[in-house]
Amino acid sequence: MRDVAIIGVGMNHWGELWNSSHRQIWTEAALLAVADAGVDRVDAMYVGCMSGGLFVGQEHLGAMLAEQLGMGPIPGTRVESACASGGLAFRQAWMSVASGVHDIVLASGVEKMTDLDGGAATFALSTAADQEYEGYQGLTFPALYAMMARAHMEKYGTTRDQLSAVAAKNHGHGSANPKAQFPHAVTIEQVNNSVLVADPLRILDCSPITDGAAAVILVPLDMAKKLKKPLIRVAASAHATDTIALHDRADITWLESTAVAAASAYKQAGIGPKDLSFCEVHDCFTIAEIMVTEALGLAERGKGGPLVASGATKIGGKMPVNPSGGLKSKGHPVGATGIAQLCEATTQLRGDAGPRQIAKAKWALTQNMGGTGASTLIHILERA
Amino acid sequence: MRDVAIIGVGMNHWGELWNSSHRQIWTEAALLAVADAGVDRVDAMYVGCMSGGLFVGQEHLGAMLAEQLGMGPIPGTRVESACASGGLAFRQAWMSVASGVHDIVLASGVEKMTDLDGGAATFALSTAADQEYEGYQGLTFPALYAMMARAHMEKYGTTRDQLSAVAAKNHGHGSANPKAQFPHAVTIEQVNNSVLVADPLRILDCSPITDGAAAVILVPLDMAKKLKKPLIRVAASAHATDTIALHDRADITWLESTAVAAASAYKQAGIGPKDLSFCEVHDCFTIAEIMVTEALGLAERGKGGPLVASGATKIGGKMPVNPSGGLKSKGHPVGATGIAQLCEATTQLRGDAGPRQIAKAKWALTQNMGGTGASTLIHILERA
């Protein structure tokens, strides 16, 4: 297999984009990535989108968006793994370059979620869970993560303030991200006192509903060298699954798919968690970031709450997590999130992150998950 | 890249499967393929499904079905390219084996379409077209293909009897397929006199709404040799796109994505259309098969009608097309169709097709398309 590098990134300003259509949002991000890479063509494109059908009544996105980019008849492939669709698009694009099938490949993600009312959007999102055993019984995603949070609090003593510390940290980071949907700093007290959604989760524990897209351009590492681009090498790509329904798990406080994918990714990259410069992780709810840091080996099992409360995961701390602001502040257009993580990782490794730059960034890990962790995609990038 | 072989196929009896759920239908086909291959594990799985969201309210199929197969935490990837989702799943699975990322990979497709009423199913299918410029203006798929048929009749003199000859041939073939939804022979007169759907297309010009699944197992060719399996080699994999909307095409009587993919596939395999032993093609409507035979180079441009009328594409003819019965007779669970074509091709190349066996089958081509041909997947298999 060939070594693969990222040579272009693009992301539009996320938010409630009522004046832009699904395809316009995607095209804006894709063209930014193409311009950043400085290429005059792409040989294939991948797009992650969770539910074009339910959110905007449009499937067949691979063909539609290849045309929209003006690049037909290139292969256009849409992949889906719920909220991990973006990470999955990156993995398939990486595979297509590593294998030698394609040379210049666009990996992208998009979701337009705000055209639906709240109930319809909640139903669309519930299709990431087990519809027969969870969704049709009335379980929404805030409810599922609330159960995970409550169990984690009971088992490990995780506190309300520790959950809030995740939101406060990520909104603090996001306040330096001009593309974030909610670039507003919040305090632990504000999170603690925000309206209850599903006990113990409050509105400021939850990532928002967002319209947005992101894209990156992948090429063989040798081509990146010839183009004299900063060498951002894909050092690992890992993908693992877990039971789709929470009730089938031995322990709902543990993200097994993330732990399995992380073990594979560290092995591929030849590094361990202590070697990482920073991580971008899937904080769809505050409890999710706490559990993810444990599954990645950044904290001992059960100690994700104290980790965030210690300040170690802030920019400037020992192991910054979500310098972009994460899903919490940046927004969470579900199909785009995994690609946006890779945009942030690349931008940081290039040293282009401005006021939120992490000093001497060398190794970055991105962790993107679907549902309550039924699927996880992990990538490790290296500034070579 | 490594050479890849198919060592297992599985398909359930297609039809209106009201007593089976989406995941049950898929699992039945997947287990048949695993048993046929004689393997005790798969390392990754791909599933093509057009709209789990709109048809059954379930996305996140990669994770759910990997678990359903009892194979979690393996990577489970869902791909979508409308009615070409199955062919796309095969291509991504092939890439994952050819690249060396995975060894034993299940490629599958599934759709459960009959849980919706006709109007809702028609809407779900319309998301394969350009929703903003076609679907919301009231264009359904029978209407889109009716325009293509009318233009073909006006431009090339294609006749009502030639359209009907496609249906009569394919239902004749399908009458020898025990897994077909409608294994009933029909005459040209019966097609001519069936109820009008969208002029000039009648009900017997249209493929049905179907529940069904299909699966195949892929391994490196070297592993197939060690397992002493019949050597069914993947000689070519090609994927191309065209405009999603009909109005953007220079000529709506021509399937450019199929022509582009076919040229690539023939080049990869080192053969031409005359070398093929038979084809399985995407006859979602009778006019589609006529246009596909032209784009594949089996007939001159505009001469697909006379080709089918001549009897050359019947089993026993010079170039059999759709020995399985095609989408017309076998059924068309949209995400599964592309994989079922590969099941039939493998079964024929193994010499296991019983009463519908094609003599001395050596090279097979499968052509699977999405929408009105906005995407096409072509694979060529060789009995090595």
Side-chain angles (χ1 to χ4, degrees):
Chain A
M1 291 201 292
R2 304 191 289 187
D3 265 330
V4 177
I6 298 176
I7 62 162
V9 299
M11 180 180 152
N12 50 356
H13 188 161
W14 289 3
E16 297 186 35
L17 309 178
W18 293 344
N19 293 317
S20 298
S21 71
H22 182 273
R23 71 185 85 187
Q24 286 172 323
I25 292 169
W26 179 87
T27 307
E28 197 181 350
L31 289 177
L32 286 169
V34 167
D36 185 45
V39 293
D40 60 2
R41 70 167 210 278
V42 299
D43 301 325
M45 57 145 287
Y46 287 79
V47 56
C49 182
M50 176 179 159
S51 194
L54 291 170
F55 282 117
V56 293
Q58 180 71 64
E59 309 279 13
H60 213 176
L61 301 173
M64 187 181 81
L65 298 175
E67 178 194 359
Q68 192 69 15
L69 194 61
M71 293 306 300
I74 64 162
T77 298
R78 181 256 183 127
V79 302
E80 179 268 322
S81 192
C83 309
S85 298
L88 186 58
F90 185 84
R91 177 170 165 82
Q92 300 307 315
W94 162 77
M95 219 181 269
S96 80
V97 177
S99 66
V101 172
H102 299 299
D103 286 329
I104 307 177
V105 176
L106 183 124
S108 62
V110 61
E111 212 82 50
K112 179 144 181 54
M113 304 171 74
T114 71
D115 289 359
L116 297 183
D117 65 34
T122 296
F123 174 75
L125 288 168
S126 78
T127 66
D130 190 316
Q131 196 56 267
E132 291 177 17
Y133 291 96
E134 295 181 323
Y136 290 149
Q137 320 311 322
L139 274 166
T140 63
F141 267 90
L144 289 161
Y145 274 94
M147 292 197 290
M148 296 160 84
R150 177 59 64 203
H152 204 277
M153 293 167 100
E154 294 292 331
K155 187 166 181 178
Y156 297 117
T158 303
T159 66
R160 175 65 260 173
D161 277 2
Q162 290 167 351
L163 293 175
S164 298
V166 174
K169 169 180 70 71
N170 290 352
H171 278 278
H173 292 174
S175 67
N177 186 345
K179 295 189 171 178
Q181 181 177 12
F182 292 111
H184 315 298
V186 298
T187 64
I188 287 177
E189 291 65 38
Q190 283 174 315
V191 184
N192 286 350
N193 294 320
S194 64
V195 67
L196 202 59
V197 174
D199 190 18
L201 299 181
R202 295 173 179 274
I203 191 79
L204 286 175
D205 287 299
C206 309
S207 58
I209 299 279
T210 312
D211 303 328
V216 301
I217 305 279
L218 299 170
V219 297
L221 188 69
D222 288 343
M223 186 186 289
K225 285 179 187 167
K226 280 183 201 151
L227 294 169
K228 301 194 195 302
K229 291 283 176 185
L231 291 181
I232 310 300
R233 184 176 74 92
V234 182
S237 173
H239 178 191
T241 55
D242 195 358
T243 69
I244 188 163
L246 273 189
H247 66 251
D248 282 322
R249 299 190 192 162
D251 182 353
I252 68 169
T253 68
W254 180 245
L255 294 168
E256 180 68 12
S257 67
T258 294
V260 170
S264 168
Y266 290 136
K267 192 176 165 194
Q268 290 173 51
I271 63 166
K274 286 183 181 157
D275 300 307
L276 295 170
S277 310
F278 69 95
C279 301
E280 281 282 313
V281 309
H282 199 92
D283 59 322
C284 49
F285 298 91
T286 51
I287 184 63
E289 180 171 311
I290 287 173
M291 290 172 65
V292 169
T293 55
E294 297 173 18
L296 291 178
L298 306 179
E300 281 178 50
R301 198 157 171 158
K303 302 289 188 191
L307 178 74
V308 65
S310 76
T313 55
K314 276 189 190 165
I315 294 175
K318 206 169 157 187
M319 175 59 66
V321 172
N322 282 325
S324 71
L327 288 55
K328 269 296 300 144
S329 166
K330 189 166 79 260
H332 184 28
V334 287
T337 283
I339 298 289
Q341 293 177 330
L342 288 148
C343 289
E344 177 72 10
T346 301
T347 302
Q348 290 280 355
L349 292 175
R350 287 174 173 177
D352 290 344
R356 62 182 196 281
Q357 180 65 45
I358 288 158
K360 298 181 193 166
K362 163 85 174 161
W363 293 96
L365 179 147
T366 64
Q367 180 271 354
N368 180 207
M369 68 185 173
T372 50
S375 62
T376 294
L377 275 293
I378 290 181
H379 290 93
I380 296 178
L381 305 183
E382 180 193 14
R383 170 68 193 242
Chain B
M1 290 199 293
R2 305 191 289 189
D3 264 330
V4 177
I6 298 176
I7 62 163
V9 298
M11 179 180 154
N12 51 355
H13 189 161
W14 288 4
E16 298 186 34
L17 309 179
W18 294 344
N19 293 318
S20 297
S21 72
H22 182 273
R23 70 185 85 187
Q24 286 172 323
I25 292 168
W26 180 87
T27 307
E28 196 180 352
L31 290 177
L32 286 169
V34 168
D36 185 44
V39 292
D40 60 3
R41 70 167 210 276
V42 299
D43 300 325
M45 58 145 287
Y46 287 79
V47 56
C49 182
M50 176 179 159
S51 194
L54 290 170
F55 282 118
V56 293
Q58 179 72 64
E59 309 279 14
H60 213 176
L61 300 173
M64 186 181 83
L65 298 175
E67 178 194 0
Q68 192 68 16
L69 194 61
M71 293 306 298
I74 64 163
T77 298
R78 181 256 183 128
V79 301
E80 179 268 322
S81 192
C83 309
S85 298
L88 185 58
F90 185 83
R91 178 171 165 80
Q92 301 307 317
W94 162 78
M95 218 180 271
S96 79
V97 177
S99 66
V101 173
H102 299 300
D103 286 329
I104 307 176
V105 176
L106 182 121
S108 62
V110 61
E111 211 82 46
K112 178 142 182 55
M113 305 172 72
T114 71
D115 288 0
L116 298 183
D117 64 35
T122 296
F123 173 75
L125 288 168
S126 78
T127 65
D130 190 315
Q131 195 57 266
E132 292 178 17
Y133 291 96
E134 296 182 322
Y136 290 149
Q137 319 311 321
L139 274 165
T140 62
F141 267 90
L144 289 161
Y145 274 95
M147 292 197 290
M148 297 160 84
R150 177 57 67 201
H152 205 275
M153 293 167 100
E154 294 293 330
K155 186 167 182 179
Y156 297 117
T158 302
T159 66
R160 175 65 258 173
D161 277 2
Q162 289 167 353
L163 294 175
S164 297
V166 174
K169 169 180 71 71
N170 289 352
H171 279 278
H173 292 173
S175 67
N177 186 345
K179 296 190 171 177
Q181 181 177 13
F182 292 112
H184 316 298
V186 297
T187 64
I188 286 177
E189 291 66 38
Q190 283 174 316
V191 185
N192 286 350
N193 294 320
S194 64
V195 67
L196 201 59
V197 174
D199 189 16
L201 299 180
R202 295 171 179 273
I203 190 79
L204 286 175
D205 286 299
C206 308
S207 58
I209 298 280
T210 311
D211 303 327
V216 301
I217 305 280
L218 299 170
V219 297
L221 189 68
D222 288 344
M223 187 186 289
K225 284 179 187 166
K226 280 182 202 149
L227 293 170
K228 300 191 195 304
K229 291 282 176 184
L231 290 182
I232 311 300
R233 183 176 75 90
V234 182
S237 173
H239 178 190
T241 55
D242 195 358
T243 70
I244 189 163
L246 273 188
H247 65 253
D248 282 322
R249 299 192 192 162
D251 182 352
I252 67 168
T253 68
W254 180 247
L255 294 168
E256 181 66 13
S257 67
T258 294
V260 170
S264 169
Y266 290 138
K267 193 177 164 194
Q268 290 173 50
I271 63 166
K274 285 183 182 158
D275 299 308
L276 296 170
S277 310
F278 67 97
C279 301
E280 281 282 313
V281 309
H282 199 91
D283 59 322
C284 49
F285 297 91
T286 51
I287 184 63
E289 180 171 311
I290 287 173
M291 292 172 65
V292 169
T293 56
E294 296 173 18
L296 292 177
L298 306 178
E300 281 177 49
R301 197 157 170 160
K303 301 292 189 189
L307 178 74
V308 63
S310 76
T313 55
K314 276 188 190 166
I315 294 174
K318 207 169 156 185
M319 176 59 67
V321 173
N322 281 325
S324 71
L327 288 55
K328 270 294 302 144
S329 167
K330 189 165 78 259
H332 185 26
V334 288
T337 283
I339 298 289
Q341 293 176 329
L342 288 147
C343 289
E344 177 72 9
T346 301
T347 303
Q348 290 280 354
L349 292 175
R350 286 175 173 177
D352 290 345
R356 62 183 195 282
Q357 180 66 45
I358 288 156
K360 297 181 194 165
K362 163 86 172 159
W363 292 97
L365 179 147
T366 64
Q367 181 269 353
N368 180 206
M369 67 185 174
T372 50
S375 62
T376 294
L377 275 293
I378 290 182
H379 290 93
I380 297 178
L381 305 183
E382 181 193 14
R383 170 69 194 240

